């Protein structure tokens, strides 16, 4: 059965084979042969299957052999690595064993050290703390040293008080406290002396930072305005907006670079002595003593800082140093207020500031009154604004300083008025008082660009031509605009509205026109070297300046962006100023004409006893009439009424002067020839009046100026005729006795 099972495993369980196999065991004939045949057939069958299977798996077998060959090389490498690793592990194990033995020895030493520590643990902390105390004293950490002393006294020393070295420590601790107290007070004194010397630098830095912050805020505001305008004028202003943004970016970058280079005001001061001294005195229980001492010393320093130098008003640097010291003082106090608790209080700083502010205002009022240079006053104003803005940034009220600026503004305007008074005088002195000649269009445009002149009739004329005003008119107009600019500079940064600035500009300009320019014009008119021609030109000049006042008002409105139709907008008083100057010039013309007539009259040399006349008018009178004719020709550019009034005044004065000759008390007698000669002169005067030297008179209006003189001559002729009718012995026709002249004079005076 065992063999059978084996055979089944080899040949499989087939029915034919089983039968053959059974016949072998049953001793059937030819069973063995048939068995062998069947067995051979089965073997061939299995060989074929094996061959098929081998053919099927041959490639896989080849691949497997190839992989095995490849793996053999890697296996050899792996074997070498494993061997090397094993060797190194063995070597490392030796070091571990050695380190383990070393650890064992260290642990033995550690146990020994622990034993020693346990013996010294009561004393060692005290020694360590005392050593720490000495080290803190050496490095000047006095507040930490006091804390260490407190720990030694309360925690460590009581545990080892039985040892002698602890008693020595206990005795030294009070001495160390006093030493710390003295050292900290010395450091505080050095600190106070240092900030007193460097307060100007501290203040200068703080003021620079305030200016930078203001510049930043202004630039940011402009940027916001640009952004707002972008929505309204996007297409038109895109380029300008981009340019403004680039400029703003550069400004911010420059400010950042500047801030990196310059430390803050607080960085310039080492406040550690104050903190250290405050903490030390607080720990020692003497905090109130320290506070009183600090405040007392700072009050003394405040009085020194507020004391100005006698020559402070001479230069702007004197004011800058004065303000810097004050700002530095209060920057330190503000920092102490915010970083310490109770050393200074808000009440204390407010009281100190109010005291300082009163002193500052008094000093500025006194010293600013010495300033006669408007540029220096303007620099002072800018310094006060920066000073006020800086301290306002630190929380100090500065309204009184801005009120003071309004007082200084009046003084600034006064200095400007004095300066412009000199400029006006120089302009008037340099003027040639003749119309401005323009040879071509270019010269004409240059003049027009300086002064708003419009004359359609003059525009029609060809070049060369003359403008009616003289060179002083555009120069005066330009200087008035420069004055407005100078006045505007003071109004900037005063935290005032545009309306208030507009009002200030108009008031200061009115002062310039009504007081300074008016005074210069009045003085100019009264100068003896100013003749009639110059006076005529002055009248013409004032007329054009009066017409230009409306352009000055437009100029101010454009600067301040305030419309002239605003109810509260002040007006310029230039009209009255120039009218008054014109009236003064007109009066001076009348006076000078009369004076000139008097000069001619003074050279008159009548021979009151002459027997007969020369047959022609006197030479002095003909010269006088020619002078009047030429003078009145110059009056063609004057307004008609002015020229007519001047002509009438001259004729009346001439008539009165001639009449005074006849009424002279020294005239005792007069001949017929003298009367006839005088009559010829009067006739020339009447002919001059009838020739209409100045157009515009109606009828014989001008001739009426000589009617009284003519009536006087008629009386004289009548008197002579009456004398001729007397008996021959009682009359003298050739001469009128002084008694009769006296009677005639009284009669004429009664008529007049």
């Amino acid at each position: 059965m065992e063999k059978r099972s084996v055979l089944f495993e080899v040949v499989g369980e087939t029915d034919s084979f089983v039968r053959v196999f059974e016949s072998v065991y049953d001793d059937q004939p030819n069973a063995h042969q048939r068995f062998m045949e069947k067995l051979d057939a089965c073997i061939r069958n299995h060989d074929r299957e094996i061959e098929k299977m081998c053919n099927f798996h041959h490639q896989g077998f080849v691949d497997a052999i190839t992989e095995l060959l490849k793996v053999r090389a890697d296996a050899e490498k792996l074997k070498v690595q494993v061997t090397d690793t094993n060797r190194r592990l063995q070597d490392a194990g030796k070091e571990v064993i050695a380190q383990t033995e070393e650890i064992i020895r260290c642990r033995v030493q550690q146990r020994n050290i622990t034993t020693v520590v346990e013996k010294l643990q009561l004393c060692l902390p005290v020694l360590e703390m005392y050593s720490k105390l000495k080290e803190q004293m050496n490095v000047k950490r006095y507040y930490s040293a006091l804390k260490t002393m407190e720990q030694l006294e309360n925690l460590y020393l009581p545990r080892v008080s039985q040892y002698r070295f602890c008693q020595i420590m206990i005795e030294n601790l009070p001495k160390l406290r006093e030493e710390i107290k003295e050292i900290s007070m010395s450091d505080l004194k050095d600190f106070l002396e240092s900030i007193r010397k460097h307060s100007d630098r501290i203040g200068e830095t703080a003021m620079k930072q305030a200016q930078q912050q203001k510049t930043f805020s202004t630039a940011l505001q402009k940027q916001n305005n640009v952004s707002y305008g972008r929505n309204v004028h996007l297409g038109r202003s895109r380029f300008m907006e981009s340019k403004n943004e680039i400029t703003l970016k550069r400004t911010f970058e420059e400010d950042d670079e500047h801030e990196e280079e310059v430390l803050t005001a607080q960085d310039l001061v080492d406040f550690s002595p104050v903190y250290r001294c405050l903490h030390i005195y607080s720990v020692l229980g003497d905090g109130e003593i320290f506070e009183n001492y600090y405040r007392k010393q700072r009050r003394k320093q405040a009085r020194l800082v507020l004391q100005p130098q006698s020559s402070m008003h001479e230069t702007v640097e004197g004011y800058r140093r004065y303000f810097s010291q004050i700002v530095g003082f209060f920057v330190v106090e503000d920092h102490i207020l915010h970083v310490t608790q109770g050393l200074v209080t808000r009440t204390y700083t407010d009281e100190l500031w109010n005291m300082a502010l009163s002193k500052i205002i008094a000093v500025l009022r006194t010293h600013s009154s010495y300033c006669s240079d408007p540029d220096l006053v303007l620099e002072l104003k800018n310094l006060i604004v920066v000073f006020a803005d800086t301290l306002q940034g630190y929380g100090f009220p500065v309204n009184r300083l801005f009120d003071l600026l309004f007082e200084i503004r009046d003084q600034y305007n006064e200095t400007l008025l004095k300066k412009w008074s000199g400029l006006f005088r120089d302009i008037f002195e340099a003027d040639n008082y003749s119309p401005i000649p323009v040879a071509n269009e270019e010269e004409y445009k240059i003049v027009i660009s300086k002064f708003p002149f419009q004359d359609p009739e003059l525009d029609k004329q060809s070049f060369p031509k003359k403008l009616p005003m003289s060179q002083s008119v555009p120069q005066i107009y330009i200087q008035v605009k420069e004055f407005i600019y100078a006045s505007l500079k003071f109004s900037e940064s005063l935290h005032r509205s545009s309306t208030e600035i507009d009002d200030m500009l108009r008031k200061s300009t009115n002062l310039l026109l009504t007081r300074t320019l008016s005074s210069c014009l009045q003085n100019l008119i009264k100068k003896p070297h100013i003749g009639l021609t110059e006076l005529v030109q002055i009248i013409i000049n004032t007329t054009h300046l009066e017409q230009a006042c409306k352009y000055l008002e437009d100029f101010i409105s454009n600067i301040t962006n305030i419309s002239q139709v605003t109810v509260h907008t002040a007006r310029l008083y230039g009209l009255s100023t120039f009218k008054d100057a014109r009236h003064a010039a007109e009066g001076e013309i009348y006076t000078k004409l009369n004076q000139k007539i008097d000069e001619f009259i003074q050279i008159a040399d009548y021979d009151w006893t002459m027997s007969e006349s020369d047959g022609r008018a006197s030479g002095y009178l003909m010269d006088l009439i020619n002078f009047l004719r030429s003078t009145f020709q110059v009056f063609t550019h004057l307004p008609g009424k002015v020229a007519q009034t001047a002509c009438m005044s001259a004729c009346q004065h001439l008539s009165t002067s001639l009449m005074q000759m006849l009424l002279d008390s020294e005239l005792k007698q007069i001949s017929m020839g003298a009367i006839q000669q005088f009559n010829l002169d009067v006739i020339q005067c009447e002919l001059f009046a009838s020739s209409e030297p100045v157009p515009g008179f109606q009828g014989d209006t001008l001739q009426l100026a000589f009617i009284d003189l003519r009536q006087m001559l008629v009386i004289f002729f009548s008197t002579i005729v009456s004398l001729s009718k007397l008996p021959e012995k009682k009359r003298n026709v050739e001469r009128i006795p002084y008694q009769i002249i006296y009677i005639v004079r009284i009669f004429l005076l009664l008529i007049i």
Side-chain angles (χ1 to χ4, degrees):
M1 290 300 292
E2 183 178 353
K3 293 180 179 180
R4 187 178 181 183
S5 62
V6 172
L7 185 60
F8 284 164
E9 291 179 3
V10 176
V11 299
E13 294 183 357
T14 58
D15 293 340
S16 61
F17 185 78
V18 172
R19 287 192 301 271
V20 173
F21 187 74
E22 289 178 352
S23 65
V24 172
Y25 280 93
D26 292 338
D27 293 330
Q28 292 181 4
N30 297 323
H32 180 269
Q33 184 179 358
R34 287 189 292 121
F35 173 75
M36 293 301 294
E37 291 176 357
K38 291 290 185 182
L39 182 58
D40 291 335
C42 184
I43 290 172
R44 287 193 298 272
N45 188 26
H46 280 287
D47 288 339
R48 284 194 299 273
E49 291 179 359
I50 290 171
E51 185 179 359
K52 290 180 181 180
M53 185 176 298
C54 289
N55 290 334
F56 181 76
H57 295 286
H58 178 266
Q59 186 62 39
F61 175 75
V62 173
D63 294 338
I65 294 300
T66 304
E67 291 294 329
L68 286 174
L69 292 175
K70 292 180 180 179
V71 171
R72 183 174 64 181
D74 295 335
E76 291 177 355
K77 293 180 181 179
L78 180 60
K79 180 179 179 181
V80 173
Q81 292 176 357
V82 169
T83 303
D84 182 63
T85 303
N86 180 60
R87 180 180 55 76
R88 286 190 286 105
L89 286 175
Q90 293 298 328
D91 295 339
K94 294 177 182 180
E95 295 179 2
V96 172
I97 293 172
Q99 292 177 0
T100 302
E101 293 175 353
E102 183 67 24
I103 290 173
I104 293 172
R105 288 193 296 272
C106 290
R107 287 181 178 178
V108 173
Q109 294 176 358
Q110 185 178 8
R111 285 196 298 269
N112 294 335
I113 292 172
T114 303
T115 302
V116 174
V117 170
E118 290 175 356
K119 299 297 180 181
L120 297 177
Q121 63 181 354
L122 294 177
C123 298
L124 187 58
V126 178
L127 297 174
E128 290 178 351
M129 292 298 291
Y130 195 80
S131 176
K132 180 180 178 181
L133 174 61
K134 288 294 185 180
E135 182 180 357
Q136 290 170 343
M137 292 290 293
N138 292 333
V139 297
K140 299 182 179 181
R141 297 174 57 191
Y142 301 117
Y143 179 73
S144 300
L146 288 175
K147 291 296 184 181
T148 303
M149 289 183 195
E150 185 178 351
Q151 292 179 359
L152 278 171
E153 288 180 332
N154 298 330
L155 184 61
Y156 293 98
L157 287 177
R159 298 177 182 178
V160 291
S161 59
Q162 67 274 18
Y163 298 109
R164 184 179 177 182
F165 74 90
C166 292
Q167 294 298 327
I168 297 174
M169 291 181 184
I170 292 173
E171 294 174 358
N172 288 336
L173 290 181
K175 297 179 182 179
L176 291 175
R177 282 195 177 93
E178 289 299 323
E179 181 182 354
I180 291 173
K181 193 174 180 180
E182 293 176 359
I183 293 174
S184 62
M185 181 56 68
S186 177
D187 291 344
L188 177 65
K189 292 179 180 178
D190 294 339
F191 167 79
L192 293 176
E193 181 65 20
S194 175
I195 61 174
R196 186 186 69 82
K197 293 180 179 179
H198 299 94
S199 59
D200 55 342
R201 185 185 174 194
I202 299 169
E204 184 178 356
T205 302
M207 292 170 71
K208 286 182 179 179
Q209 291 173 353
Q211 284 182 303
Q212 292 173 4
Q213 180 64 29
K214 188 175 182 180
T215 302
F216 176 83
S217 300
T218 303
L220 186 61
Q221 184 178 4
K222 291 181 180 180
Q223 175 65 14
N224 293 335
N225 293 337
V226 170
S227 299
Y228 173 77
R230 181 187 303 140
N231 297 327
V232 182
H233 306 285
L234 180 61
R236 182 170 58 90
S237 61
R238 187 182 301 274
F239 173 74
M240 292 302 298
E241 176 186 339
S242 175
K243 183 177 181 181
N244 290 334
E245 291 177 352
I246 294 173
T247 303
L248 179 64
K249 182 178 180 182
R250 290 178 179 174
T251 302
F252 292 165
E253 290 176 352
E254 292 175 358
D255 291 342
D256 293 340
E257 293 176 358
H258 188 68
E259 289 175 359
E260 291 177 359
E261 297 174 357
V262 181
L263 298 175
T264 62
Q266 291 79 4
D267 293 336
L268 297 175
V269 183
D270 181 14
F271 291 94
S272 58
V274 180
Y275 307 150
R276 186 164 54 245
C277 198
L278 175 61
H279 293 160
I280 289 171
Y281 272 77
S282 298
V283 171
L284 296 176
D286 295 332
E288 185 176 354
I289 296 175
F290 173 73
E291 292 173 7
N292 293 334
Y293 176 81
Y294 176 84
R295 295 182 184 182
K296 181 179 179 181
Q297 294 300 316
R298 290 297 281 167
R299 285 183 184 274
K300 290 181 179 179
Q301 290 186 349
R303 295 188 183 95
L304 292 176
V305 167
L306 294 172
Q307 189 66 31
Q309 297 180 355
S310 58
S311 60
M312 183 180 71
H313 62 278
E314 296 178 357
T315 61
V316 69
E317 291 301 325
Y319 287 107
R320 181 176 286 110
R321 180 176 176 82
Y322 180 70
F323 288 130
S324 298
Q325 289 178 343
I326 297 174
V327 171
F329 178 89
F330 283 100
V331 165
V332 171
E333 289 304 291
D334 181 77
H335 184 76
I336 294 295
L337 172 66
H338 288 89
V339 299
T340 61
Q341 296 180 353
L343 180 56
V344 295
T345 61
R346 175 57 68 181
T347 302
Y348 161 79
T349 55
D350 289 344
E351 179 184 353
L352 197 62
W353 169 245
N354 290 331
M355 181 271 293
L357 188 58
S358 299
K359 179 67 175 178
I360 292 168
I361 291 175
V363 168
L364 291 178
R365 279 182 179 147
T366 301
H367 284 264
S368 63
S369 62
Y370 300 142
C371 296
S372 58
D373 182 8
D375 294 333
L376 181 58
V377 179
L378 183 61
E379 288 289 341
L380 173 60
K381 168 259 174 181
N382 292 332
L383 284 175
I384 293 176
V385 170
V386 175
F387 172 74
D389 289 342
T390 302
L391 289 176
Q392 189 176 32
Y394 285 93
F396 295 99
V398 294
N399 293 334
R400 293 174 61 187
L401 286 174
F402 284 102
D403 294 338
L404 174 65
L405 283 175
F406 280 92
E407 299 178 17
I408 298 178
R409 181 200 63 187
D410 296 336
Q411 180 184 347
Y412 175 73
N413 286 336
E414 289 297 325
T415 58
L416 284 181
L417 292 175
K418 291 180 181 178
K419 179 180 179 180
W420 258 256
S421 177
L423 293 175
F424 289 154
R425 287 196 299 268
D426 294 340
I427 291 173
F428 289 142
E429 289 293 333
D431 194 9
N432 57 6
Y433 296 100
S434 59
I436 301 175
V438 287
N440 48 48
E441 183 73 20
E442 183 178 356
E443 293 182 2
Y444 180 75
K445 289 182 178 179
I446 291 175
V447 176
I448 297 303
S449 64
K450 297 178 181 179
F451 181 78
F453 174 75
Q454 295 178 354
D455 189 347
E457 296 297 329
L458 186 64
D459 292 340
K460 296 177 182 178
Q461 299 178 12
S462 60
F463 292 99
K465 53 188 175 182
K466 292 183 178 181
L467 303 182
M469 64 277 190
S470 65
Q471 290 288 350
S472 63
V473 173
Q475 294 176 0
I476 291 293
Y477 183 79
I478 291 174
Q479 287 302 323
V480 172
K481 292 174 67 175
E482 291 296 328
F483 176 87
I484 295 172
Y485 276 126
S487 182
L488 177 64
K489 289 180 181 178
F490 194 93
S491 302
E492 295 174 347
S493 305
L494 291 184
H495 307 296
R496 298 293 173 177
S497 64
S498 298
T499 303
E500 292 175 311
I501 294 176
D502 182 87
D503 186 63
M504 286 188 282
L505 289 180
R506 292 178 184 273
K507 287 181 178 179
S508 59
T509 306
N510 279 330
L511 283 176
L512 178 72
L513 296 176
T514 59
R515 196 171 77 182
T516 304
L517 183 56
S518 176
S519 176
C520 291
L521 285 171
Q522 296 292 340
N523 294 334
L524 174 67
I525 292 170
K526 297 297 182 181
K527 287 185 176 181
H529 70 275
I530 297 297
L532 292 172
T533 304
E534 288 81 0
L535 289 172
V536 171
Q537 188 62 54
I538 289 173
I539 293 176
I540 297 173
N541 290 348
T542 54
T543 302
H544 289 284
L545 287 172
E546 179 183 343
Q547 296 172 355
C549 283
K550 62 179 181 180
Y551 297 101
L552 290 176
E553 290 188 347
D554 295 338
F555 177 71
I556 296 175
S557 298
N558 292 333
I559 292 177
T560 59
N561 293 324
I562 297 298
S563 175
Q564 296 186 37
V565 299
T566 306
V567 177
H568 301 288
T569 301
R571 301 299 177 186
L572 296 183
Y573 302 145
L575 298 178
S576 60
T577 298
F578 298 120
K579 283 182 179 178
D580 294 342
R582 263 199 314 277
H583 292 329
E586 292 169 4
E588 195 66 19
I589 287 176
Y590 306 151
T591 302
K592 287 187 179 296
L593 270 176
N594 293 340
Q595 291 175 352
K596 199 67 177 178
I597 291 173
D598 292 339
E599 292 176 3
F600 281 99
I601 294 296
Q602 289 176 1
I603 64 175
D605 187 18
Y606 284 106
D607 182 8
W608 299 109
T609 62
M610 61 190 309
S611 60
E612 60 181 10
S613 66
D614 296 337
R616 62 180 183 276
S618 302
Y620 85 92
L621 186 67
M622 296 306 299
D623 293 339
L624 173 58
I625 291 175
N626 292 332
F627 165 76
L628 292 176
R629 289 185 186 278
S630 61
T631 300
F632 291 146
Q633 288 179 357
V634 180
F635 288 3
T636 55
H637 295 293
L638 289 176
K641 291 184 179 180
V642 176
Q644 293 171 10
T645 304
C647 185
M648 177 61 74
S649 174
C651 290
Q652 289 176 346
H653 185 74
L654 176 59
S655 175
T656 303
S657 299
L658 293 174
M659 189 181 297
Q660 290 297 328
M661 289 184 181
L662 295 177
L663 298 177
D664 190 1
S665 60
E666 296 181 358
L667 181 61
K668 302 302 181 179
Q669 57 184 359
I670 185 171
S671 66
M672 177 59 76
I675 292 296
Q676 292 175 349
Q677 181 64 42
F678 197 84
N679 183 53
L680 292 175
D681 293 343
V682 174
I683 291 173
Q684 288 298 323
C685 293
E686 292 173 340
L687 291 175
F688 170 74
S690 62
S691 66
E692 196 176 6
V694 174
F697 286 104
Q698 296 180 356
D700 298 335
T701 303
L702 189 59
Q703 298 178 24
L704 294 176
F706 298 99
I707 190 170
D708 292 337
L709 182 60
R710 172 56 61 190
Q711 290 177 355
M712 177 181 286
L713 288 177
V714 170
I715 292 174
F716 269 93
F717 279 116
S718 299
T719 302
I720 294 174
V721 171
S722 299
L723 290 174
S724 63
K725 295 180 180 180
L726 293 175
E728 187 173 348
K729 294 182 180 181
K730 297 183 179 180
R731 62 185 172 88
N732 185 359
V733 182
E734 295 296 329
R735 297 180 181 178
I736 302 177
Y738 70 93
Q739 295 89 346
I740 297 177
I741 293 176
Y742 180 73
I743 295 172
V744 172
R745 185 181 297 122
I746 294 175
F747 178 72
L748 290 174
L749 289 174
L750 291 174
I751 294 176
I752 295 174

